[in-house]
Amino acid sequence: MWNYVLFSSLVLIVSLLYHCYFNSPLSIIEHPNTHYDYIIVGAGTAGCVVALRLSEALNVTVLLVEAGGYFGWVSSVPILAPVMQGTEVDWSFSTEPQMFSSRGFWNHIQKVPQGKGLGGSGQMNHLVHSFGRSEDYKAWPKGWSHADLLPYFKKVSDIMNVMSSPEKEYLAEAFLVAEESLKLNNVTLQRGLYTTKRGSRWSTFNAHLQNAWNRINLHILTNTLVSKILFKENLNVDGIKVIYKDGLMRKIVARKEVILCAGTINTPQLLLLSGIGPAEDLDKFQIPVVSNVSEVGKNLFDHFMLPVYVNLEAKVSITLVKLQTLPEVLNYFIFGRGWYATNGIMAVGRVNNSGLMLFGLGTTDERMLKPLSNYRTEPYRSLYPSYKNNSQEGFLFLTYCLQPKSRGTVTLRSTKIRHQPKIDPAYLEHYDDILCTHEAINFAIRVIETKQFREYGAKVHHPDLEECRHLPQDYRDIEYSECVMRVGALSSHHVGGTCKMGVDDHSVVDENLRVRGVNGLRIIDASVIPSPVSGNPNSVLIAMAERASDLIIGRTG
């Protein structure tokens, strides 16, 4: 009881201090100028980087327009990332009903959270750091190879304060020593890496935007929705149309460029509403065609994860009961240490194209997590046996295919910017994704069978799903494994690719990120990533935004 009272009191005190002493930066304005050299749409992971870099040139003016406002202080606590989902700082996107997956979810619909506010999804993700593998970039255009991006990877590693899971973390240690006995080719096991500073979330909002938001040549417009990109008759960009919080609309002119950093879902929607996209799709909504770019909204990809629950006998995992103890709470709020200062991802591994993440939280509280994911009750309880036991020891292996072949789309639902577009990731449409994920599951099982995990009493939980009861209850059986995937796998929230970068007709932007068919419009966000990154893509996107800024300024290419 007293733990709950103390935690609530600390939350109240920190919240009051945050609101009392937080001073609004000079760059945050309510009434913008009529003209700017550069207009950046979206203050997410990439937008924060671009705003910093472009405003370094004092002879240019930059406007950063963001649909949301500030994230609260809770977002700064790494372990509390899921708490942001479904709130006013989340776009709260939902997919269309899925044909090949999501059978354990209401109406076969997946939730796709995306950050809405300064910092974007970087303020609510799990902060996992990865640059993938060098071969991920082989088919990317000139200038974007792994070798080309290496200087930017180093820059990101320095700026983003990359940390690893604690040295004395038992599950991470057991995972790392497992490599010696696995005797598999192409295996990589390592500690989880994440971006924090002094125990708090460290995103591009902290590392980039806050370093720029008192510059006189940078204006930041919050709670303002961009409804359309405007063009002149010669297809040169003219500016943007915005809708303020009170409903008023206004045009703002861009002298040089408009740079879209609105994200994998909002960017293609805005392009389509502005007349850039497949002509046949625009005609359905009687939108005048500015540029017939057939691939806008196509090539949507995501990592699709199956959580494999592992029961433990030893007390070596994170539980809600442990998180609510007085020492743990004080350790974080006084010293910035402990489990609250981590993201819970203790280790990651891969074999060939199959990936694992070891998430060390053994408790899967039904009241909080089930509504966020849209699971139906019976499948949720079957997949997560600790749903009502906040002291149960265990962890999750998040198993997935690093290079999924399924591709989906983002298309218009209506001509209104406030209406969510149709999002269809087509999860598990390509059977190779089943085989690849099955290999990841079996990789996880082999890890659990190693000596240290056996000593911890690790045992794989096989969910008793109604749809799969006719099959052998064993993940080694491909049919059972596939059945559980199609019922219980869920989005990793790594969506990308909807405005693919390339040099052929199947791309939306060229190698300089300029939108085809028009002048003065670029895209710098996850929508331009041509193909999946073998790991969490956030750090790669930061590196891409750094290089893209250099391209605009003229420091490279």
Side-chain angles (χ1 to χ4, degrees), residues 513-525:
L513 306 180
R514 298 172 298 201
V515 176
R516 298 189 179 281
V518 296
N519 302 311
L521 179 63
R522 293 192 209 233
I523 304 175
I524 306 174
D525 58 33

Side-chain angles (χ1 to χ4, degrees), residues 127-166:
L127 299 168
V128 179
H129 168 78
S130 170
F131 292 133
R133 301 175 294 181
S134 59
E135 54 263 41
D136 295 341
Y137 306 86
K138 283 184 177 178
W140 289 26
K142 183 180 178 181
W144 298 94
S145 70
H146 188 266
D148 293 322
L149 288 171
L150 272 177
Y152 297 98
F153 289 161
K154 184 180 186 306
K155 188 174 185 178
V156 170
S157 297
D158 293 339
I159 294 174
M160 297 309 298
N161 205 52
V162 178
M163 310 281 289
S164 65
S165 61

Side-chain angles (χ1 to χ4, degrees), residues 230-339:
L230 304 173
F231 296 93
K232 300 173 185 175
E233 291 183 3
N234 59 3
L235 298 185
N236 286 333
V237 76
D238 190 18
I240 58 173
K241 182 193 285 187
V242 299
I243 305 174
Y244 295 118
K245 195 174 183 179
D246 59 9
L248 289 176
M249 291 186 286
R250 184 176 175 183
K251 172 185 174 181
I252 307 174
V253 174
R255 297 189 189 96
K256 294 185 176 182
E257 291 189 15
V258 170
I259 302 161
L260 293 184
C261 301
T264 298
I265 296 168
N266 285 324
T267 286
Q269 180 190 24
L270 188 52
L271 286 178
L272 292 165
L273 291 175
S274 305
I276 300 175
E280 62 273 18
D281 291 351
L282 299 177
D283 289 342
K284 292 176 187 176
F285 294 94
Q286 298 181 323
I287 298 172
V289 178
V290 174
S291 181
N292 181 13
V293 184
S294 63
E295 296 303 306
V296 171
K298 309 286 178 64
N299 190 50
L300 175 65
F301 53 74
D302 189 12
H303 290 135
F304 199 52
M305 293 182 166
L306 179 67
V308 175
Y309 193 89
V310 180
N311 290 293
L312 291 170
E313 294 176 5
K315 295 183 178 181
V316 292
S317 65
I318 314 171
T319 67
L320 280 185
V321 168
K322 291 178 185 176
L323 284 174
Q324 292 166 353
T325 60
L326 179 60
E328 193 66 38
V329 173
L330 291 177
N331 193 26
Y332 181 74
F333 282 100
I334 296 175
F335 303 107
R337 301 193 197 115
W339 291 122

Side-chain angles (χ1 to χ4, degrees), residues 65 81 140 164 260 419 426 456 500 520:
V65 186
W140 289 26
S164 65
L260 293 184
H419 290 178
Y456 290 155
K500 180 181 177 181

